Amino acid sequence: GEQNPGAAAVVYVATAMPGPGHVRHYGRGELVIAPSPLSDLVALQFPTAGIPTQISDNVRGALWAKLIINCAYNALSALTQMSYGWLVDQKTSGVNPLIDEIVAECIAVARADGVQLPENMVDMVHGLPQTMPGQLSSTAQDLARNKQTEIDHLNGYVVARGKALGIATPVNNTLLAIFASPCNCTSNRLSSMYWPSPVRARWCSAARMAMVAFSPVARSTVATPTLVGAPAAGPVIDIRPDSAWTTKS
């Protein structure tokens, strides 16, 4: 309302909560905000605290850009319980072509919905692992804690908008279906982010095969998976009760 004006905002930051009252920062931390009576003031004050802030007339496009990036990485990071950097290092696994297909579907839906996306949208997606290579997605962290994920509001939202607009989204729909399955990683079998590497490798392989089955491009490029650095790739937070909130790397 006029007394308490609000403005849409996009936050780009990689964090995790290794324990109660503790936040670990992995990278970035900038804001994009819509014009409002207070936006100019916010854009002046936040940078003094080290938070780059930009006012944009196209916050809807910025929100969709972040949605697309999250759709590209969150589910895959969650299914493998591995970081963004590790995912794109799997050159023979078909993950990178799969990411391209996820993104292509999202872009098609966004354009059909009249969203003005950044011209460098694909570059933004591929640039994420360079800015926060050790980050586990928030979806991965939710699964590790047996919490409900936001997949319905990420890939699921793209699928729903695609249906409404007549745009096919088979790859995003596959990811949504995997998370909806009662036998997948949302079960109570997952009690920690710290998986023994053989278990993690089996999940990587099973998830890859399930998704590649629905992905012609990834299927044409996939080879025997080479799990580069699977035993220790990027910081992994151990949330077992006796871990004292230590970080594995």
Side-chain angles (χ1 to χ4, degrees):
E2 295 183 2
Q3 301 268 336
N4 299 288
V10 188
V11 182
Y12 294 97
V13 65
T15 62
M17 293 188 66
H22 293 80
V23 175
R24 180 167 182 174
H25 179 246
Y26 286 92
R28 301 182 67 172
E30 65 266 33
L31 296 176
V32 178
I33 60 177
S36 78
L38 293 178
S39 291
D40 288 338
L41 180 61
V42 170
L44 286 174
Q45 291 183 337
F46 275 41
T48 63
I51 304 172
T53 303
Q54 172 190 351
I55 301 173
S56 172
D57 292 325
N58 185 28
V59 169
R60 186 180 184 223
L63 285 166
W64 260 91
K66 183 176 180 181
L67 171 66
I68 292 172
I69 292 171
N70 285 344
C71 286
Y73 291 104
N74 277 39
L76 300 183
S77 173
L79 287 169
T80 58
Q81 285 292 301
M82 298 302 287
S83 67
Y84 302 149
W86 182 90
L87 284 172
V88 299
D89 281 343
Q90 309 311 302
K91 304 301 183 185
T92 63
S93 69
V95 168
N96 288 291
L98 184 60
I99 288 172
D100 288 339
E101 288 190 78
I102 295 168
V103 171
E105 290 181 2
C106 293
I107 290 175
V109 172
R111 287 175 175 166
D113 210 10
V115 178
Q116 182 182 348
L117 293 171
E119 293 183 2
N120 63 337
M121 185 68 249
V122 174
D123 291 337
M124 289 174 65
V125 172
H126 289 297
L128 181 73
Q130 281 71 54
T131 61
M132 46 184 78
Q135 176 69 18
L136 284 168
S137 71
S138 57
T139 308
Q141 296 177 52
D142 286 340
L143 284 186
R145 292 172 170 84
N146 294 316
K147 294 174 60 178
Q148 184 176 358
T149 76
E150 70 265 84
I151 287 296
D152 284 347
H153 305 287
L154 299 176
N155 305 83
Y157 180 77
V158 172
V159 170
R161 292 302 300 150
K163 288 180 180 178
L165 296 164
I167 305 295
T169 55
V171 181
N172 281 276
N173 193 54
T174 300
L175 291 171
L176 185 63
I178 291 172
F179 276 81
S181 170
C183 63
N184 82 25
C185 48
T186 59
S187 75
N188 289 329
R189 288 176 294 166
L190 288 184
S191 59
S192 168
M193 273 189 188
Y194 183 64
W195 292 6
S197 57
V199 176
R200 185 161 53 200
R202 286 197 297 273
W203 268 97
C204 293
S205 179
R208 179 186 61 81
M209 288 189 292
M211 290 181 287
V212 165
F214 290 85
S215 173
V217 173
R219 188 165 59 242
S220 68
T221 59
V222 72
T224 302
T226 302
L227 301 174
V228 179
V236 180
I237 301 167
D238 185 348
I239 60 169
R240 291 174 295 181
D242 59 349
S243 68
W245 309 110
T246 57
T247 300
K248 305 293 183 180
S249 61

